[in-house]
């Protein structure tokens, strides 16, 4: 089974930078890695930022556009089937910043993907200085991303104080409680 890792986070949270480091880490093991970049715009900016990673060991695959959920699901499923046939050992998915993680799991547990893939690591990147003025829809999407993550990473932590980081973790817990999420985060300094 091919492992699929998901890297979520809002626009500017550091997903692309994280993926760059993560691919370098995985490449040391000699795996054939595929990166699926999803962008709702006509130009996939994140893919352009990762182009230098392309090699025999790492390939980039775009999913461009698809504002409608059914379009995205169809494109995502087709992309994963194609990548399975090409011998990838690990897939990293970077969806757009506005992404409900349930869509990822829904697709991976459907035929034929459930026979080809298994969920690997799920990361949620959150800016260490979380915007206090998030809309309810943004809070819901953030809850979806955090609730399903194996690891929540505060990005740009070097730019804020420990107190601000602790406040962000506390705010994340409040947001998750608002949507009846049982998960609770604890701040751990790096």
């Amino acid at each position: 089974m091919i492992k699929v890792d998901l890297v979520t986070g809002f626009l500017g949270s550091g997903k692309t930078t994280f993926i760059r480091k993560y691919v370098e880490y995985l490449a040391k093991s000699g795996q054939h890695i595929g990166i699926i970049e999803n962008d709702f715009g006509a130009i996939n900016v994140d893919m352009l930022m990762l182009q230098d990673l392309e090699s025999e060991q790492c390939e980039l695959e775009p999913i461009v556009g698809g504002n409608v959920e059914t379009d995205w699901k169809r494109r995502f499923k087709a992309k994963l089937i194609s990548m399975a046939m090409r011998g990838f050992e690990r897939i990293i998915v970077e969806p757009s910043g506005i992404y409900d993680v349930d869509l990822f799991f829904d697709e991976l547990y459907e035929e034929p993907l459930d026979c080809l893939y298994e969920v690997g690591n799920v990361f949620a990147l959150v800016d260490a200085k979380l915007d206090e003025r998030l809309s309810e829809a943004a809070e819901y999407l953030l809850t979806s991303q955090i609730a399903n993550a194996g690891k929540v990473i505060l990005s740009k932590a070097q730019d804020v104080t420990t107190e601000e980081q602790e406040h962000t973790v506390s705010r994340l817990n409040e947001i998750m409680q608002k949507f009846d999420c049982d998960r609770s985060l604890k701040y751990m300094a790096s």
Side-chain angles (χ1 to χ4, degrees), residues 133-152:
R133 303 161 297 158
L134 294 175
S135 69
E136 185 145 341
E139 288 180 343
Y140 173 80
L141 290 173
L142 185 59
T143 298
S144 166
Q145 293 174 5
I146 292 170
N148 289 290
K151 183 69 83 175
V152 177

Side-chain angles (χ1 to χ4, degrees), residues 109-142:
Y109 294 134
E110 284 186 11
E111 291 184 348
L113 298 181
D114 62 338
C115 296
L116 301 169
Y117 290 99
E118 65 182 332
V119 176
N121 297 308
V122 179
F123 301 100
L125 276 78
V126 178
D127 194 313
K129 189 169 177 101
L130 184 65
D131 188 346
E132 292 288 330
R133 303 161 297 158
L134 294 175
S135 69
E136 185 145 341
E139 288 180 343
Y140 173 80
L141 290 173
L142 185 59

Side-chain angles (χ1 to χ4, degrees), residues 22-135:
Y22 190 49
V23 166
E24 289 172 11
Y25 167 79
L26 292 173
K28 290 178 184 174
S29 70
Q31 294 182 53
H32 187 203
I33 304 162
I35 302 171
I36 296 178
E37 280 290 336
N38 183 58
D39 199 329
F40 286 123
I43 299 173
N44 194 325
V45 176
D46 291 332
M47 190 155 162
L48 293 173
M49 293 174 60
L50 293 173
Q51 262 183 330
D52 62 308
L53 292 176
E54 279 209 272
S55 65
E56 286 184 24
Q57 199 173 353
C58 181
E59 297 180 40
L60 300 174
E61 293 285 337
I63 296 179
V64 180
N67 288 333
V68 179
E69 183 179 313
T70 54
D71 288 344
W72 181 86
K73 284 181 171 185
R74 182 178 38 79
R75 291 176 183 160
F76 182 59
K77 188 178 220 174
K79 187 70 68 177
L80 284 173
I81 291 169
S82 165
M83 293 175 88
M85 293 187 310
R86 291 178 22 224
F88 287 95
E89 296 163 290
R90 186 152 213 135
I91 305 293
I92 301 168
V93 177
E94 180 185 3
S96 70
I98 51 170
Y99 184 74
D100 185 345
V101 176
D102 291 338
L103 295 175
F104 171 76
F105 292 109
D106 289 348
E107 287 306 301
L108 282 184
Y109 294 134
E110 284 186 11
E111 291 184 348
L113 298 181
D114 62 338
C115 296
L116 301 169
Y117 290 99
E118 65 182 332
V119 176
N121 297 308
V122 179
F123 301 100
L125 276 78
V126 178
D127 194 313
K129 189 169 177 101
L130 184 65
D131 188 346
E132 292 288 330
R133 303 161 297 158
L134 294 175
S135 69

